[in-house]
Amino acid sequence: MKVLVIGATGGSGRAAVSALLDRGHDVTALVRNPDTAELFGTSDTAESFGTSDTAGSSGDRVTVVTGDAVRDSDVERAVHGQEAVVVTLGIRENPVRVRLRGPARTPLDVRSRGTRTVVDAMRRHGVRRLIVQTSYGTGPTRDRLPARYRLMFRALLGPQIADTERQDALVRSSDLDWTIVQPVNFTDGDDAEATVSDGDVSSWAIPRRAVGRVLADLVDRPEYARATVAVS
């Protein structure tokens, strides 16, 4: 299957790319910085959207295209020819700095803006399967979050959580075959297996690699269309 990953240079995005490749999928990664191609086992990049009209090239492991998830023309061209899209957008900057001063490199509403751009492009190109990573404690799991995490969300991550809520709502209102994936707190620890449920969690931390495997597995699991899964 041809799968586009949006947000491919983040921790869970890279893990999703790796897991998709392990499963034999034909993966395209949309990145803002072409220098990050080496993260995917190749130094080659496909065409740089907005700066070149030359044909793209594939590296040994994955095709990397340069573009911005919030730019319509970039996403439009990346979605063309795909069969599924995985979205793992987020802000990787220090959360304290983001809360006090705003992000330096990424729009504060990148999750909702980028996801809306993806949804619109998928509709135009007839691409149905959409996997979107949000966050446990938003949407249908909002009331399942322990009080200590609700306080942290409000104090430290308030604007980002509000944007994630908007992202959740626009995915649910779409007519695509979407699945929303809600991981608990990320770690870079051991490569434990993930527990997938409709809202109950087995722990409050999950390795990014385990989440990446869940994202990859769901690409060709149509029984999870229009469902939300918690990952712990």
Side-chain angles (χ1 to χ4, degrees):
M1 183 180 290
K2 295 180 179 179
V3 184
L4 171 66
V5 180
I6 306 285
T9 57
S12 57
R14 293 198 305 273
V17 169
S18 178
L20 286 163
L21 292 168
D22 288 344
R23 287 153 178 76
H25 294 293
D26 182 2
V27 181
T28 298
L30 179 68
V31 304
R32 286 185 296 181
N33 182 356
D35 293 338
T36 57
E38 62 187 24
L39 294 173
F40 309 112
T42 174
S43 60
D44 295 334
T45 55
E47 61 183 305
S48 178
F49 294 162
T51 62
S52 174
D53 292 324
T54 59
S57 59
S58 296
D60 294 334
R61 304 197 63 210
V62 60
T63 299
V64 179
V65 295
T66 306
D68 197 319
V70 301
R71 186 177 298 128
D72 291 341
S73 59
D74 291 359
V75 175
E76 181 84 16
R77 297 172 71 182
V79 166
H80 177 70
Q82 304 294 332
E83 297 172 276
V85 181
V86 176
V87 175
T88 62
L89 289 169
I91 298 174
R92 289 185 288 152
E93 300 172 41
N94 182 286
V96 175
R97 184 196 183 285
V98 171
R99 188 68 170 100
L100 295 176
R101 302 176 58 187
R105 298 180 299 275
T106 304
L108 189 57
D109 60 351
V110 64
R111 295 172 178 87
S112 61
R113 279 181 63 193
T115 303
R116 184 180 299 281
T117 303
V118 169
V119 167
D120 290 346
M122 290 177 68
R123 285 171 173 158
R124 287 190 290 270
H125 289 282
V127 183
R128 299 290 309 168
R129 192 69 176 114
L130 173 64
I131 313 297
V132 178
Q133 175 187 290
T134 62
S135 177
Y136 190 85
T138 60
T141 59
R142 189 181 308 112
D143 295 335
R144 298 192 184 207
L145 201 65
R148 67 183 184 277
Y149 287 116
R150 288 199 299 270
L151 289 172
M152 181 189 71
F153 274 17
R154 187 179 306 117
L156 184 59
L157 302 172
Q160 295 189 61
I161 293 301
D163 188 50
T164 305
E165 293 280 10
R166 291 190 293 271
Q167 177 189 37
D168 181 279
L170 73 87
V171 171
R172 293 179 192 283
S173 66
S174 77
D175 57 356
L176 302 176
D177 297 329
W178 52 264
T179 302
I180 293 175
V181 179
Q182 296 193 325
V184 294
N185 300 318
F186 286 125
T187 72
D188 292 315
D190 59 12
D191 201 15
E193 289 300 316
T195 298
V196 177
S197 76
D198 62 358
D200 295 329
V201 296
S202 58
S203 70
W204 291 104
I206 182 71
R208 290 175 172 84
R209 289 188 297 273
V211 175
R213 289 194 295 271
V214 172
L215 294 167
D217 286 341
L218 287 168
V219 163
D220 51 11
R221 296 288 296 275
E223 66 270 29
Y224 282 95
R226 304 189 72 81
T228 300
V229 297
V231 183
S232 61

